[in-house]
Amino acid sequence: MRASWDEYFMEIAEIVKTRSTCLRRQVGAVIVKDNRIITTGYNGAPSGTSHCTDKGTCQRIEMNIPSGERHELCRALHAEQNAIIQAANIGVSTDGGTLYVTLQPCVICAKMAINAGIKKIVYKGAYPDQLSLDMLNEAEVELVVMD
């Protein structure tokens, strides 16, 4: 059976997440326009800095910080952030695009996606951040949850 576009791009996001350098959770993202991939991203430290996999430790795990809290204590950028930044770096507009991500975006990523002009987000897996969903709904971003 032929995969739907959502299934196809989500499967690619699943492959992208295998590049993640986070010790806590691997997340992959793909931004698509007109059924064409424009960028991908996974969660990991900024270019030129040590990844948690290199250090062998995670400050958030050591401090027992619950998921969805104290994002500023994480070395990594989120997958969605990296995909949006990559688009900016190569000069490709994300306006009107669809974001496929292997986990519900946090509120920081939701705000970035809204301002990046993302019109649809397809995601798997819940994240403890109701404000994210509230803001995406208020901005009329179409949300599709996949199993």
Side-chain angles (χ1 to χ4, degrees), residues 104-107 110 114 129-137 143:
Q104 173 195 318
C106 72
V107 70
I114 291 164
D129 196 333
Q130 185 60 45
L131 181 57
S132 165
L133 298 177
D134 293 345
M135 292 191 79
L136 290 165
N137 284 319
L143 299 175

Side-chain angles (χ1 to χ4, degrees), residues 11 46 98 116-117 136 147:
E11 190 62 30
T98 298
L136 290 165
D147 292 333

Side-chain angles (χ1 to χ4, degrees), residues 92-108:
V92 177
S93 174
T94 56
D95 193 41
T98 298
L99 171 64
Y100 291 86
V101 63
T102 60
L103 184 68
Q104 173 195 318
C106 72
V107 70
I108 295 167

Side-chain angles (χ1 to χ4, degrees), residues 4-7 10 97-105 118-126 133 136-137 140-147:
S4 70
W5 285 115
D6 285 351
E7 292 166 337
M10 185 58 76
T98 298
L99 171 64
Y100 291 86
V101 63
T102 60
L103 184 68
Q104 173 195 318
I118 298 294
K119 297 300 177 199
K120 177 180 175 183
I121 299 177
V122 181
Y123 68 92
K124 294 166 72 171
L133 298 177
L136 290 165
N137 284 319
E140 298 181 354
V141 174
E142 179 185 353
L143 299 175
V144 177
V145 183
M146 293 186 74
D147 292 333

Side-chain angles (χ1 to χ4, degrees), residues 25-46:
R25 175 179 309 173
Q26 293 185 317
V27 181
V30 177
I31 299 178
V32 173
K33 283 180 72 171
D34 301 320
N35 290 330
R36 287 178 172 66
I37 295 170
I38 61 170
T39 62
T40 64
Y42 52 86
N43 53 331

Side-chain angles (χ1 to χ4, degrees), residues 52-66:
C52 292
T53 52
D54 299 329
K55 291 183 152 303
T57 187
C58 168
Q59 181 178 2
R60 292 170 53 80
I61 291 173
E62 289 175 357
M63 296 176 70
N64 201 29
I65 296 170

